[in-house]
Amino acid sequence: MARSTGAFFSDPVQPHSMYEVEVKVPADIEAVAERLDELGAEQVDTVIQTDTYYDAPHRDFAETDEAFRVRRETRKGETNAKVTYKGPLLEAESKSREEFETGVEDGDDIDAIVQHLGFEPAATVRKNRRVYEVREYDVTLDAVDDVGEFVEVERETDGDIEPVREGAYEVLQDLSLDPSDQQRTSYLGMLLSDANE
């Protein structure tokens, strides 16, 4: 009996696009923590993140401005893992990207799978991260090993990026930080740049 070629075998369902709108500036994170306390912001998370970034066998992520990583997050002695793909930067005014992320049961297994598929580990970025909520934004205080201290203000959107970015600028200004100081280079890029100097 012939297999149907109807709707069931048509093009695969396309994932719903989400965009991570992020503005990141270098800062003294203890001074920013004090300002957050003054504003009554709630700290919602403390985590150690260890991100292993991979190079692809079929294209150069440094040239295409993409990123693929396995992230391990440790909270209160317990570690969970996620796998993330980030697309190229979408604009010059922020670090906005298309992003897809999902949890995985075992970080070591996903590392082994992608390496068997030809992906090569490029570098590992480790950071201590404190996350606060300010209005509808996550404000993250990052101490990044071998890179420095930064504040990120971010929010996801499935729509227009510009108003979300402008809101992130306002949050930075509330924290006595200047959005024009933003750093669009990723922590991975900074780490690799420092290593090559």
Side-chain angles (χ1 to χ4, degrees), residues 155-176:
R155 201 180 102 194
E156 288 190 338
T157 182
D158 59 1
D160 193 2
I161 291 172
E162 183 177 356
V164 180
R165 183 215 323 130
E166 292 301 320
Y169 287 174
E170 291 173 9
V171 171
L172 282 172
Q173 290 164 345
D174 289 346
L175 298 174
S176 303

Side-chain angles (χ1 to χ4, degrees), residues 109-128:
D109 281 349
I110 194 67
D111 280 330
I113 289 167
V114 299
Q115 289 183 56
H116 277 82
L117 291 171
F119 287 73
E120 296 278 345
T124 298
V125 176
R126 186 180 183 278
K127 58 184 172 289
N128 286 279

Side-chain angles (χ1 to χ4, degrees), residues 47-191:
V47 60
I48 298 171
Q49 293 179 336
T50 305
D51 298 337
T52 302
Y53 286 87
Y54 285 90
D55 288 330
H58 58 296
R59 63 179 179 263
D60 185 342
F61 285 162
E63 288 186 5
T64 62
D65 193 29
E66 297 169 282
F68 178 70
R69 74 174 181 224
V70 176
R71 166 172 285 177
R72 289 166 175 81
E73 296 186 321
T74 303
R75 295 175 177 85
K76 299 178 181 177
E78 186 170 323
T79 300
N80 295 299
K82 300 175 182 177
V83 61
T84 307
Y85 164 80
K86 293 191 177 196
L89 290 172
L90 297 171
E91 60 171 14
E93 294 82 9
S94 69
K95 282 187 77 261
S96 300
R97 300 175 181 270
E98 189 173 26
E99 177 177 300
F100 301 96
E101 183 172 83
T102 189
V104 293
E105 187 169 327
D106 189 306
D108 292 341
D109 281 349
I110 194 67
D111 280 330
I113 289 167
V114 299
Q115 289 183 56
H116 277 82
L117 291 171
F119 287 73
E120 296 278 345
T124 298
V125 176
R126 186 180 183 278
K127 58 184 172 289
N128 286 279
R129 170 167 274 192
R130 286 177 279 169
V131 183
Y132 294 76
E133 285 186 355
V134 176
R135 297 192 288 275
E136 297 177 345
Y137 290 84
D138 287 340
V139 176
T140 305
L141 311 187
D142 286 340
V144 188
D145 288 6
D146 302 317
V147 176
E149 294 185 347
F150 296 84
V151 173
E152 293 184 355
V153 178
E154 68 178 65
R155 201 180 102 194
E156 288 190 338
T157 182
D158 59 1
D160 193 2
I161 291 172
E162 183 177 356
V164 180
R165 183 215 323 130
E166 292 301 320
Y169 287 174
E170 291 173 9
V171 171
L172 282 172
Q173 290 164 345
D174 289 346
L175 298 174
S176 303
L177 298 171
D178 187 348
S180 67
D181 291 336
Q182 77 164 298
Q183 172 60 257
R184 294 178 73 241
T185 304
S186 67
Y187 294 138
L188 173 64
M190 290 184 228
L191 183 68

Side-chain angles (χ1 to χ4, degrees), residues 13 23 30 77 88 192:
V13 173
V23 182
E30 295 309 323
L192 293 176

